[in-house]
DNA sequence: TCGTTCGACGAACACTGTTCTACAGGCGAA
DNA sequence: TTCGCCTGTAGAACAGTGTTCGTCGAACGA
């Protein structure tokens, strides 16, 4: 039924020329798009286009977009070496691990947003980091239950912080628009009796990209302060 | 140019019969859909359909879907009365306010998910609650900067917790699928030498709907413990 | 050499948010 | 009263989305 291709038109050996599709390649390509165009630009079609194929081809290697996102998050979470617990400075080690996680998430702007879709972190990197965190907390003297709850809360906050911070940093939140909103809000609050929003009126300038790191460290210090008194009791 | 409608076909007095469109009605309808069908079912078309109109009609009252979501979140955040600061029990008051916020968010299953899209909380309810929180923290002895950072961190965590908890509770996370994932993960970890994931293997059962409240209170206690030592110093 | 199997992928389906455009009704002015 | 305007109502359409169906070609085991 099929006509052989005419001899004057050289059939390009397409299949061998381009790198063969694989899950790893797909995830890697998707993360490159995140860096180049932001996380919202990552659609199945866009990834397929970057690999010079159609969207349906991806589904042979990835169940659906959710799975692709999980794989992306876990790959992005690849840190270097994880700390070996030292009971003498476990608190500092916990902070250091969390800082590394934030940095990893912020390498790919907006990736923290899709980290929220990952219900149970099953990726290899996530598992290892979870175990490392539990080891640190237990080295500090917490029992398993306390360590588990503390690790959970810290990871939730870290994700939340990374989401806001990377949204800010990557221009995903239109900075001008946000500023305009803040201005309108301030104006509104000023139009009311000064007894209604005495505090809120003053704190607007405390929230910007410069204070982000400070807020993160503050939150960590508060939470770990509570953990320390728990461990010492 | 237009032909008058034939007299035998009674023209229904459509305009007067159905309630007139308004921003408030749109937001209210959207929240009803959230309760009935979940937050992912809320599309502009679905809201319009519920109001017996087309999607384009909504845009006369709402700039876009983001604005609609902001309005939905703020309306959902409507608590009863806010606490009057009592320096003797400010910590308990802070916890109580956060519990109320969680409860408000969980009334509309999955609404916490779109609360993350709200960059700067400009809604009336959000503003009042922010002010109330700052008042409580300052009554505890924190300065403005500390109170602002603490309030920010607490709100971030509260949103994060409410998102996970309401996703669990509303069946947005397919419980069977999540369980299957957990089983696979456990099996995988068991297949490795027991020294690799000694802690992670044991904590799986600590994370379910029953322990959710406990985890929330634990996180609050830790953070507020740190706040207390800061305030007392 | 002949099935068989598996990945590639064009086309299509059912959606999404948003905009364009036409139009109808009520209101103020002439 | 009649004319013009203006605002809110929508149908249709555009450009995009995730996902599935079915075909087709190449490679591999028998």
């Amino acid at each position: 039924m099929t006509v052989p291709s005419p001899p004057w038109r050289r059939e390009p050996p397409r299949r061998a020329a381009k790198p063969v599709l694989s899950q790893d390649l797909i995830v890697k390509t998707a993360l490159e798009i995140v860096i180049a165009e932001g996380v919202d630009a990552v659609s199945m079609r866009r990834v397929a286009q970057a690999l010079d194929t159609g969207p349906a081809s991806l589904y042979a290697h990835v169940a659906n977009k959710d799975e692709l996102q999980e794989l992306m998050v876990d790959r992005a979470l690849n840190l270097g070496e994880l700390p070996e617990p030292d009971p003498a400075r476990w608190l500092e080690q916990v902070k250091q691990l969390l800082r590394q996680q934030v940095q990893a998430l912020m390498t790919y702007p907006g990736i923290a947003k899709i980290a929220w879709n990952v219900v149970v972190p099953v990726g290899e990197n996530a598992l290892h980091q979870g175990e490392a965190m539990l080891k640190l907390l237990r080295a500090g003297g917490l029992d398993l239950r306390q360590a588990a709850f503390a690790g959970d809360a810290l990871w939730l906050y870290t994700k939340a912080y990374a989401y806001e911070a990377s949204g800010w940093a990557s221009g995903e939140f239109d900075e001008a628009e946000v500023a305009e909103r803040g201005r309108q809000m301030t104006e509104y609050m000023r139009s009311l009796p000064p007894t209604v929003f005495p505090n809120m009126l003053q704190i607007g300038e405390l929230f910007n990209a410069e204070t982000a790191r400070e807020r993160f460290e503050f939150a960590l210090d508060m939470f770990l302060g509570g953990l320390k008194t728990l461990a010492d009791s």
Side-chain angles (χ1 to χ4, degrees), chain A:
Chain A
M1 230 2 150
T2 56
V3 183
S5 57
W8 62 86
R9 184 183 169 191
R10 276 217 282 161
E11 191 80 359
R14 305 190 329 175
R15 195 58 71 255
K18 67 178 173 184
V20 65
L21 228 47
S22 75
Q23 188 180 82
D24 212 60
L25 181 62
I26 290 172
V27 176
K28 186 163 149 279
T29 307
L31 283 179
E32 285 168 3
I33 296 175
V34 170
I35 290 186
E37 307 174 32
V39 74
D40 287 328
V42 177
S43 68
M44 301 303 271
R45 278 179 169 77
R46 183 67 191 80
V47 175
Q49 185 201 65
L51 291 166
D52 194 26
T53 179
S57 304
L58 306 180
Y59 285 85
H61 305 271
V62 156
N64 49 33
K65 197 186 180 184
D66 277 349
E67 185 176 307
L68 173 57
Q69 291 186 334
E70 287 190 26
L71 294 167
M72 289 167 68
V73 170
D74 199 67
R75 191 186 175 105
L77 269 180
N78 181 29
L79 313 179
E81 47 184 333
L82 295 172
E84 209 56 40
D86 174 5
R89 38 188 285 278
W90 66 284
L91 282 170
E92 185 52 44
Q93 287 185 304
V94 166
K95 282 205 260 185
Q96 193 53 36
L97 179 56
L98 294 170
R99 287 192 202 107
Q100 284 181 54
Q101 286 174 336
V102 166
Q103 196 188 5
L105 288 175
M106 293 189 63
T107 303
Y108 301 91
I111 197 98
K113 182 189 207 166
I114 64 183
W116 285 102
N117 295 344
V118 182
V119 190
V120 185
V122 295
E124 218 175 332
N125 286 323
L127 288 183
H128 278 107
Q129 285 167 43
E131 182 65 34
M133 178 57 79
L134 290 176
K135 279 205 181 86
L136 292 178
L137 295 170
R138 299 217 59 182
L142 301 177
D143 65 35
L144 186 68
R145 190 184 192 82
Q146 294 167 339
F149 287 0
D152 175 56
L154 285 170
W155 175 232
L156 275 187
Y157 174 73
T158 299
K159 270 198 295 185
Y161 170 78
Y163 172 66
E164 298 241 323
S166 90
W168 259 105
S170 74
E172 179 163 342
F173 310 153
D174 187 348
E175 198 149 350
E177 192 185 336
V178 170
E180 171 60 18
R181 281 300 200 81
R183 210 187 50 74
Q184 282 182 12
M185 184 176 69
T186 307
E187 199 167 330
Y188 165 68
M189 292 192 290
R190 251 196 259 279
S191 75
L192 300 177
T195 58
V196 183
F197 293 117
N199 295 290
M200 288 291 277
L201 260 169
Q202 296 180 261
I203 66 167
E205 58 199 7
L206 290 178
F207 292 91
N208 51 51
E210 280 82 46
T211 64
R213 199 165 201 90
E214 196 177 346
R215 280 180 275 149
F216 182 64
E217 297 288 333
F218 179 85
L220 260 47
D221 284 335
M222 291 303 105
F223 191 89
L224 296 181
L227 268 193
K228 183 165 157 47
T229 65
L230 179 67
D232 292 347
S233 67

